[in-house]
PDB file of all heavy atoms in Angstrom:
ATOM      1  N   ILE P  87    -156.965  79.188 153.033  1.00  0.00           N
ATOM      2  CA  ILE P  87    -157.442  80.103 152.009  1.00  0.00           C
ATOM      3  C   ILE P  87    -157.257  81.552 152.435  1.00  0.00           C
ATOM      4  O   ILE P  87    -156.792  82.385 151.614  1.00  0.00           O
ATOM      5  CB  ILE P  87    -159.008  79.903 151.807  1.00  0.00           C
ATOM      6  CG1 ILE P  87    -159.244  78.457 151.215  1.00  0.00           C
ATOM      7  CG2 ILE P  87    -159.568  80.940 150.830  1.00  0.00           C
ATOM      8  CD1 ILE P  87    -160.686  78.074 151.053  1.00  0.00           C
ATOM      9  N   ASP P  88    -157.537  81.890 153.715  1.00  0.00           N
ATOM     10  CA  ASP P  88    -157.468  83.238 154.147  1.00  0.00           C
ATOM     11  C   ASP P  88    -156.121  83.666 154.776  1.00  0.00           C
ATOM     12  O   ASP P  88    -155.833  84.868 154.799  1.00  0.00           O
ATOM     13  CB  ASP P  88    -158.576  83.561 155.193  1.00  0.00           C
ATOM     14  CG  ASP P  88    -159.962  83.362 154.535  1.00  0.00           C
ATOM     15  OD1 ASP P  88    -160.104  83.639 153.360  1.00  0.00           O
ATOM     16  OD2 ASP P  88    -160.865  82.961 155.303  1.00  0.00           O
ATOM     17  N   TYR P  89    -155.378  82.709 155.235  1.00  0.00           N
ATOM     18  CA  TYR P  89    -154.112  83.064 155.955  1.00  0.00           C
ATOM     19  C   TYR P  89    -152.890  82.484 155.201  1.00  0.00           C
ATOM     20  O   TYR P  89    -152.966  81.466 154.558  1.00  0.00           O
ATOM     21  CB  TYR P  89    -154.159  82.414 157.363  1.00  0.00           C
ATOM     22  CG  TYR P  89    -155.250  82.942 158.230  1.00  0.00           C
ATOM     23  CD1 TYR P  89    -155.843  82.073 159.195  1.00  0.00           C
ATOM     24  CD2 TYR P  89    -155.739  84.212 158.118  1.00  0.00           C
ATOM     25  CE1 TYR P  89    -156.890  82.576 159.982  1.00  0.00           C
ATOM     26  CE2 TYR P  89    -156.782  84.688 158.886  1.00  0.00           C
ATOM     27  CZ  TYR P  89    -157.343  83.842 159.825  1.00  0.00           C
ATOM     28  OH  TYR P  89    -158.401  84.341 160.607  1.00  0.00           O
ATOM     29  N   LYS P  90    -151.828  83.201 155.420  1.00  0.00           N
ATOM     30  CA  LYS P  90    -150.535  82.764 154.837  1.00  0.00           C
ATOM     31  C   LYS P  90    -149.949  81.600 155.666  1.00  0.00           C
ATOM     32  O   LYS P  90    -150.376  81.359 156.808  1.00  0.00           O
ATOM     33  CB  LYS P  90    -149.611  83.981 154.748  1.00  0.00           C
ATOM     34  CG  LYS P  90    -150.000  84.977 153.692  1.00  0.00           C
ATOM     35  CD  LYS P  90    -149.102  86.124 153.580  1.00  0.00           C
ATOM     36  CE  LYS P  90    -149.392  86.977 152.352  1.00  0.00           C
ATOM     37  NZ  LYS P  90    -150.824  87.312 152.209  1.00  0.00           N
ATOM     38  N   THR P  91    -149.006  80.894 155.081  1.00  0.00           N
ATOM     39  CA  THR P  91    -148.393  79.792 155.750  1.00  0.00           C
ATOM     40  C   THR P  91    -146.905  80.053 155.961  1.00  0.00           C
ATOM     41  O   THR P  91    -146.255  80.451 155.031  1.00  0.00           O
ATOM     42  CB  THR P  91    -148.589  78.510 154.952  1.00  0.00           C
ATOM     43  OG1 THR P  91    -149.988  78.242 154.784  1.00  0.00           O
ATOM     44  CG2 THR P  91    -147.926  77.308 155.594  1.00  0.00           C
ATOM     45  N   LEU P  92    -146.448  79.786 157.230  1.00  0.00           N
ATOM     46  CA  LEU P  92    -145.056  80.036 157.570  1.00  0.00           C
ATOM     47  C   LEU P  92    -144.371  78.671 157.701  1.00  0.00           C
ATOM     48  O   LEU P  92    -144.844  77.727 158.306  1.00  0.00           O
ATOM     49  CB  LEU P  92    -144.969  80.757 158.873  1.00  0.00           C
ATOM     50  CG  LEU P  92    -143.598  81.126 159.397  1.00  0.00           C
ATOM     51  CD1 LEU P  92    -143.645  82.512 160.126  1.00  0.00           C
ATOM     52  CD2 LEU P  92    -143.027  80.056 160.378  1.00  0.00           C
ATOM     53  N   ILE P  93    -143.207  78.548 157.049  1.00  0.00           N
ATOM     54  CA  ILE P  93    -142.352  77.365 157.242  1.00  0.00           C
ATOM     55  C   ILE P  93    -141.118  77.747 157.976  1.00  0.00           C
ATOM     56  O   ILE P  93    -140.437  78.747 157.715  1.00  0.00           O
ATOM     57  CB  ILE P  93    -142.007  76.701 155.874  1.00  0.00           C
ATOM     58  CG1 ILE P  93    -141.228  75.401 156.136  1.00  0.00           C
ATOM     59  CG2 ILE P  93    -141.187  77.634 154.976  1.00  0.00           C
ATOM     60  CD1 ILE P  93    -141.125  74.487 154.897  1.00  0.00           C
ATOM     61  N   TYR P  94    -140.868  76.986 159.081  1.00  0.00           N
ATOM     62  CA  TYR P  94    -139.828  77.332 160.005  1.00  0.00           C
ATOM     63  C   TYR P  94    -138.646  76.386 159.910  1.00  0.00           C
ATOM     64  O   TYR P  94    -138.775  75.168 160.077  1.00  0.00           O
ATOM     65  CB  TYR P  94    -140.419  77.218 161.447  1.00  0.00           C
ATOM     66  CG  TYR P  94    -139.528  77.823 162.540  1.00  0.00           C
ATOM     67  CD1 TYR P  94    -139.915  79.024 163.187  1.00  0.00           C
ATOM     68  CD2 TYR P  94    -138.371  77.182 162.962  1.00  0.00           C
ATOM     69  CE1 TYR P  94    -139.108  79.559 164.168  1.00  0.00           C
ATOM     70  CE2 TYR P  94    -137.605  77.711 163.992  1.00  0.00           C
ATOM     71  CZ  TYR P  94    -137.973  78.892 164.585  1.00  0.00           C
ATOM     72  OH  TYR P  94    -137.196  79.389 165.605  1.00  0.00           O
ATOM     73  N   PHE P  95    -137.496  76.903 159.598  1.00  0.00           N
ATOM     74  CA  PHE P  95    -136.218  76.176 159.509  1.00  0.00           C
ATOM     75  C   PHE P  95    -135.380  76.455 160.783  1.00  0.00           C
ATOM     76  O   PHE P  95    -134.893  77.553 160.925  1.00  0.00           O
ATOM     77  CB  PHE P  95    -135.426  76.557 158.261  1.00  0.00           C
ATOM     78  CG  PHE P  95    -136.187  76.243 156.968  1.00  0.00           C
ATOM     79  CD1 PHE P  95    -136.163  77.128 155.928  1.00  0.00           C
ATOM     80  CD2 PHE P  95    -136.844  75.063 156.814  1.00  0.00           C
ATOM     81  CE1 PHE P  95    -136.782  76.849 154.742  1.00  0.00           C
ATOM     82  CE2 PHE P  95    -137.523  74.763 155.658  1.00  0.00           C
ATOM     83  CZ  PHE P  95    -137.505  75.671 154.553  1.00  0.00           C
ATOM     84  N   HIS P  96    -135.218  75.439 161.592  1.00  0.00           N
ATOM     85  CA  HIS P  96    -134.531  75.729 162.890  1.00  0.00           C
ATOM     86  C   HIS P  96    -133.024  75.701 162.753  1.00  0.00           C
ATOM     87  O   HIS P  96    -132.465  75.427 161.705  1.00  0.00           O
ATOM     88  CB  HIS P  96    -135.027  74.756 163.987  1.00  0.00           C
ATOM     89  CG  HIS P  96    -134.558  73.294 163.761  1.00  0.00           C
ATOM     90  ND1 HIS P  96    -133.270  72.860 163.925  1.00  0.00           N
ATOM     91  CD2 HIS P  96    -135.320  72.148 163.480  1.00  0.00           C
ATOM     92  CE1 HIS P  96    -133.211  71.579 163.763  1.00  0.00           C
ATOM     93  NE2 HIS P  96    -134.419  71.117 163.478  1.00  0.00           N
ATOM     94  N   GLY P  97    -132.377  75.926 163.899  1.00  0.00           N
ATOM     95  CA  GLY P  97    -130.911  76.085 163.899  1.00  0.00           C
ATOM     96  C   GLY P  97    -130.162  74.773 164.036  1.00  0.00           C
ATOM     97  O   GLY P  97    -130.741  73.699 163.799  1.00  0.00           O
ATOM     98  N   ASN P  98    -128.922  74.856 164.395  1.00  0.00           N
ATOM     99  CA  ASN P  98    -127.991  73.668 164.275  1.00  0.00           C
ATOM    100  C   ASN P  98    -128.001  72.763 165.509  1.00  0.00           C
ATOM    101  O   ASN P  98    -127.159  71.902 165.605  1.00  0.00           O
ATOM    102  CB  ASN P  98    -126.557  74.100 163.999  1.00  0.00           C
ATOM    103  CG  ASN P  98    -125.910  74.778 165.141  1.00  0.00           C
ATOM    104  OD1 ASN P  98    -126.555  75.283 166.088  1.00  0.00           O
ATOM    105  ND2 ASN P  98    -124.574  74.795 165.178  1.00  0.00           N
ATOM    106  N   ALA P  99    -128.879  73.002 166.481  1.00  0.00           N
ATOM    107  CA  ALA P  99    -128.845  72.147 167.680  1.00  0.00           C
ATOM    108  C   ALA P  99    -130.304  71.883 168.145  1.00  0.00           C
ATOM    109  O   ALA P  99    -131.243  72.693 167.917  1.00  0.00           O
ATOM    110  CB  ALA P  99    -128.087  72.889 168.768  1.00  0.00           C
ATOM    111  N   GLY P 100    -130.426  70.771 168.831  1.00  0.00           N
ATOM    112  CA  GLY P 100    -131.702  70.454 169.490  1.00  0.00           C
ATOM    113  C   GLY P 100    -132.774  69.816 168.613  1.00  0.00           C
ATOM    114  O   GLY P 100    -132.548  69.476 167.468  1.00  0.00           O
ATOM    115  N   SER P 101    -133.950  69.794 169.216  1.00  0.00           N
ATOM    116  CA  SER P 101    -135.085  69.121 168.612  1.00  0.00           C
ATOM    117  C   SER P 101    -136.232  70.167 168.382  1.00  0.00           C
ATOM    118  O   SER P 101    -136.078  71.337 168.759  1.00  0.00           O
ATOM    119  CB  SER P 101    -135.586  67.967 169.455  1.00  0.00           C
ATOM    120  OG  SER P 101    -136.034  68.514 170.738  1.00  0.00           O
ATOM    121  N   LEU P 102    -137.324  69.672 167.845  1.00  0.00           N
ATOM    122  CA  LEU P 102    -138.471  70.582 167.640  1.00  0.00           C
ATOM    123  C   LEU P 102    -139.023  71.039 168.968  1.00  0.00           C
ATOM    124  O   LEU P 102    -139.527  72.220 169.069  1.00  0.00           O
ATOM    125  CB  LEU P 102    -139.633  69.822 166.918  1.00  0.00           C
ATOM    126  CG  LEU P 102    -139.277  69.281 165.518  1.00  0.00           C
ATOM    127  CD1 LEU P 102    -140.567  68.728 164.817  1.00  0.00           C
ATOM    128  CD2 LEU P 102    -138.724  70.450 164.636  1.00  0.00           C
ATOM    129  N   GLU P 103    -138.892  70.225 170.056  1.00  0.00           N
ATOM    130  CA  GLU P 103    -139.408  70.685 171.356  1.00  0.00           C
ATOM    131  C   GLU P 103    -138.633  71.894 171.857  1.00  0.00           C
ATOM    132  O   GLU P 103    -139.213  72.678 172.617  1.00  0.00           O
ATOM    133  CB  GLU P 103    -139.212  69.516 172.378  1.00  0.00           C
ATOM    134  CG  GLU P 103    -140.187  68.390 172.285  1.00  0.00           C
ATOM    135  CD  GLU P 103    -139.920  67.413 171.122  1.00  0.00           C
ATOM    136  OE1 GLU P 103    -138.822  67.537 170.543  1.00  0.00           O
ATOM    137  OE2 GLU P 103    -140.765  66.578 170.901  1.00  0.00           O
ATOM    138  N   ASN P 104    -137.438  72.106 171.434  1.00  0.00           N
ATOM    139  CA  ASN P 104    -136.700  73.285 171.840  1.00  0.00           C
ATOM    140  C   ASN P 104    -137.262  74.601 171.288  1.00  0.00           C
ATOM    141  O   ASN P 104    -136.865  75.689 171.705  1.00  0.00           O
ATOM    142  CB  ASN P 104    -135.199  73.192 171.434  1.00  0.00           C
ATOM    143  CG  ASN P 104    -134.518  72.001 172.078  1.00  0.00           C
ATOM    144  OD1 ASN P 104    -133.805  71.302 171.373  1.00  0.00           O
ATOM    145  ND2 ASN P 104    -134.699  71.792 173.323  1.00  0.00           N
ATOM    146  N   ARG P 105    -138.214  74.475 170.365  1.00  0.00           N
ATOM    147  CA  ARG P 105    -138.813  75.704 169.763  1.00  0.00           C
ATOM    148  C   ARG P 105    -140.218  75.866 170.211  1.00  0.00           C
ATOM    149  O   ARG P 105    -140.964  76.780 169.690  1.00  0.00           O
ATOM    150  CB  ARG P 105    -138.768  75.593 168.208  1.00  0.00           C
ATOM    151  CG  ARG P 105    -137.393  75.935 167.644  1.00  0.00           C
ATOM    152  CD  ARG P 105    -136.398  74.859 167.693  1.00  0.00           C
ATOM    153  NE  ARG P 105    -135.055  75.350 167.430  1.00  0.00           N
ATOM    154  CZ  ARG P 105    -133.932  74.570 167.475  1.00  0.00           C
ATOM    155  NH1 ARG P 105    -134.087  73.264 167.804  1.00  0.00           N
ATOM    156  NH2 ARG P 105    -132.774  75.091 167.234  1.00  0.00           N
ATOM    157  N   ILE P 106    -140.739  75.097 171.109  1.00  0.00           N
ATOM    158  CA  ILE P 106    -142.125  75.215 171.536  1.00  0.00           C
ATOM    159  C   ILE P 106    -142.441  76.585 172.090  1.00  0.00           C
ATOM    160  O   ILE P 106    -143.547  77.166 171.807  1.00  0.00           O
ATOM    161  CB  ILE P 106    -142.444  74.168 172.627  1.00  0.00           C
ATOM    162  CG1 ILE P 106    -142.568  72.735 171.983  1.00  0.00           C
ATOM    163  CG2 ILE P 106    -143.741  74.522 173.427  1.00  0.00           C
ATOM    164  CD1 ILE P 106    -142.809  71.606 172.977  1.00  0.00           C
ATOM    165  N   HIS P 107    -141.511  77.187 172.809  1.00  0.00           N
ATOM    166  CA  HIS P 107    -141.797  78.530 173.394  1.00  0.00           C
ATOM    167  C   HIS P 107    -142.011  79.589 172.298  1.00  0.00           C
ATOM    168  O   HIS P 107    -142.646  80.619 172.557  1.00  0.00           O
ATOM    169  CB  HIS P 107    -140.671  78.942 174.295  1.00  0.00           C
ATOM    170  CG  HIS P 107    -139.351  79.215 173.594  1.00  0.00           C
ATOM    171  ND1 HIS P 107    -138.566  78.236 173.056  1.00  0.00           N
ATOM    172  CD2 HIS P 107    -138.707  80.412 173.285  1.00  0.00           C
ATOM    173  CE1 HIS P 107    -137.490  78.802 172.477  1.00  0.00           C
ATOM    174  NE2 HIS P 107    -137.573  80.079 172.628  1.00  0.00           N
ATOM    175  N   LYS P 108    -141.489  79.332 171.103  1.00  0.00           N
ATOM    176  CA  LYS P 108    -141.760  80.248 169.973  1.00  0.00           C
ATOM    177  C   LYS P 108    -143.070  79.896 169.298  1.00  0.00           C
ATOM    178  O   LYS P 108    -143.880  80.787 168.983  1.00  0.00           O
ATOM    179  CB  LYS P 108    -140.601  80.154 168.975  1.00  0.00           C
ATOM    180  CG  LYS P 108    -139.271  80.553 169.508  1.00  0.00           C
ATOM    181  CD  LYS P 108    -138.209  80.470 168.407  1.00  0.00           C
ATOM    182  CE  LYS P 108    -136.857  80.923 168.933  1.00  0.00           C
ATOM    183  NZ  LYS P 108    -135.832  80.880 167.886  1.00  0.00           N
ATOM    184  N   LEU P 109    -143.268  78.610 169.023  1.00  0.00           N
ATOM    185  CA  LEU P 109    -144.458  78.157 168.306  1.00  0.00           C
ATOM    186  C   LEU P 109    -145.730  78.511 169.063  1.00  0.00           C
ATOM    187  O   LEU P 109    -146.743  78.777 168.454  1.00  0.00           O
ATOM    188  CB  LEU P 109    -144.446  76.661 168.093  1.00  0.00           C
ATOM    189  CG  LEU P 109    -143.249  76.088 167.329  1.00  0.00           C
ATOM    190  CD1 LEU P 109    -143.353  74.561 167.184  1.00  0.00           C
ATOM    191  CD2 LEU P 109    -143.148  76.722 165.979  1.00  0.00           C
ATOM    192  N   ASN P 110    -145.695  78.567 170.408  1.00  0.00           N
ATOM    193  CA  ASN P 110    -146.890  78.879 171.151  1.00  0.00           C
ATOM    194  C   ASN P 110    -147.398  80.275 170.891  1.00  0.00           C
ATOM    195  O   ASN P 110    -148.599  80.519 170.995  1.00  0.00           O
ATOM    196  CB  ASN P 110    -146.598  78.722 172.676  1.00  0.00           C
ATOM    197  CG  ASN P 110    -146.610  77.297 173.149  1.00  0.00           C
ATOM    198  OD1 ASN P 110    -147.147  76.406 172.445  1.00  0.00           O
ATOM    199  ND2 ASN P 110    -145.996  76.982 174.291  1.00  0.00           N
ATOM    200  N   HIS P 111    -146.496  81.134 170.433  1.00  0.00           N
ATOM    201  CA  HIS P 111    -146.960  82.524 170.107  1.00  0.00           C
ATOM    202  C   HIS P 111    -147.664  82.542 168.796  1.00  0.00           C
ATOM    203  O   HIS P 111    -148.423  83.489 168.477  1.00  0.00           O
ATOM    204  CB  HIS P 111    -145.754  83.463 170.043  1.00  0.00           C
ATOM    205  CG  HIS P 111    -145.204  83.762 171.443  1.00  0.00           C
ATOM    206  ND1 HIS P 111    -145.854  84.578 172.339  1.00  0.00           N
ATOM    207  CD2 HIS P 111    -144.020  83.418 172.038  1.00  0.00           C
ATOM    208  CE1 HIS P 111    -145.102  84.687 173.455  1.00  0.00           C
ATOM    209  NE2 HIS P 111    -143.976  83.937 173.273  1.00  0.00           N
ATOM    210  N   PHE P 112    -147.397  81.561 167.911  1.00  0.00           N
ATOM    211  CA  PHE P 112    -147.988  81.559 166.582  1.00  0.00           C
ATOM    212  C   PHE P 112    -149.533  81.366 166.624  1.00  0.00           C
ATOM    213  O   PHE P 112    -150.231  81.692 165.667  1.00  0.00           O
ATOM    214  CB  PHE P 112    -147.371  80.533 165.697  1.00  0.00           C
ATOM    215  CG  PHE P 112    -145.974  80.777 165.346  1.00  0.00           C
ATOM    216  CD1 PHE P 112    -145.116  79.800 164.773  1.00  0.00           C
ATOM    217  CD2 PHE P 112    -145.383  81.982 165.538  1.00  0.00           C
ATOM    218  CE1 PHE P 112    -143.782  80.056 164.405  1.00  0.00           C
ATOM    219  CE2 PHE P 112    -144.032  82.306 165.270  1.00  0.00           C
ATOM    220  CZ  PHE P 112    -143.248  81.297 164.696  1.00  0.00           C
ATOM    221  N   LYS P 113    -150.024  80.772 167.724  1.00  0.00           N
ATOM    222  CA  LYS P 113    -151.483  80.537 167.815  1.00  0.00           C
ATOM    223  C   LYS P 113    -152.235  81.851 167.811  1.00  0.00           C
ATOM    224  O   LYS P 113    -153.434  81.837 167.491  1.00  0.00           O
ATOM    225  CB  LYS P 113    -151.813  79.722 169.031  1.00  0.00           C
ATOM    226  CG  LYS P 113    -151.699  80.425 170.384  1.00  0.00           C
ATOM    227  CD  LYS P 113    -152.120  79.494 171.462  1.00  0.00           C
ATOM    228  CE  LYS P 113    -152.075  80.249 172.875  1.00  0.00           C
ATOM    229  NZ  LYS P 113    -150.723  80.576 173.269  1.00  0.00           N
ATOM    230  N   ASP P 114    -151.568  82.945 168.238  1.00  0.00           N
ATOM    231  CA  ASP P 114    -152.247  84.254 168.285  1.00  0.00           C
ATOM    232  C   ASP P 114    -152.042  85.049 167.006  1.00  0.00           C
ATOM    233  O   ASP P 114    -152.381  86.210 166.952  1.00  0.00           O
ATOM    234  CB  ASP P 114    -151.714  85.048 169.462  1.00  0.00           C
ATOM    235  CG  ASP P 114    -152.001  84.341 170.811  1.00  0.00           C
ATOM    236  OD1 ASP P 114    -153.065  83.766 170.968  1.00  0.00           O
ATOM    237  OD2 ASP P 114    -151.063  84.419 171.713  1.00  0.00           O
ATOM    238  N   MET P 115    -151.476  84.396 165.993  1.00  0.00           N
ATOM    239  CA  MET P 115    -151.275  85.104 164.698  1.00  0.00           C
ATOM    240  C   MET P 115    -152.072  84.369 163.622  1.00  0.00           C
ATOM    241  O   MET P 115    -152.281  83.127 163.714  1.00  0.00           O
ATOM    242  CB  MET P 115    -149.755  85.016 164.357  1.00  0.00           C
ATOM    243  CG  MET P 115    -148.845  85.598 165.393  1.00  0.00           C
ATOM    244  SD  MET P 115    -147.098  85.465 164.960  1.00  0.00           S
ATOM    245  CE  MET P 115    -146.287  85.917 166.510  1.00  0.00           C
TER     246      MET P 115
END
Side-chain angles (χ1 to χ4, degrees):
I87 297 176
D88 296 329
Y89 299 147
K90 291 180 168 50
T91 299
L92 182 147
I93 185 165
Y94 192 108
F95 297 138
H96 70 70
N98 71 337
S101 63
L102 298 186
E103 283 79 8
N104 298 134
R105 280 80 194 178
I106 285 178
H107 68 288
K108 298 181 179 183
L109 302 180
N110 282 341
H111 289 288
F112 291 168
K113 72 176 182 294
D114 299 322
M115 304 178 192

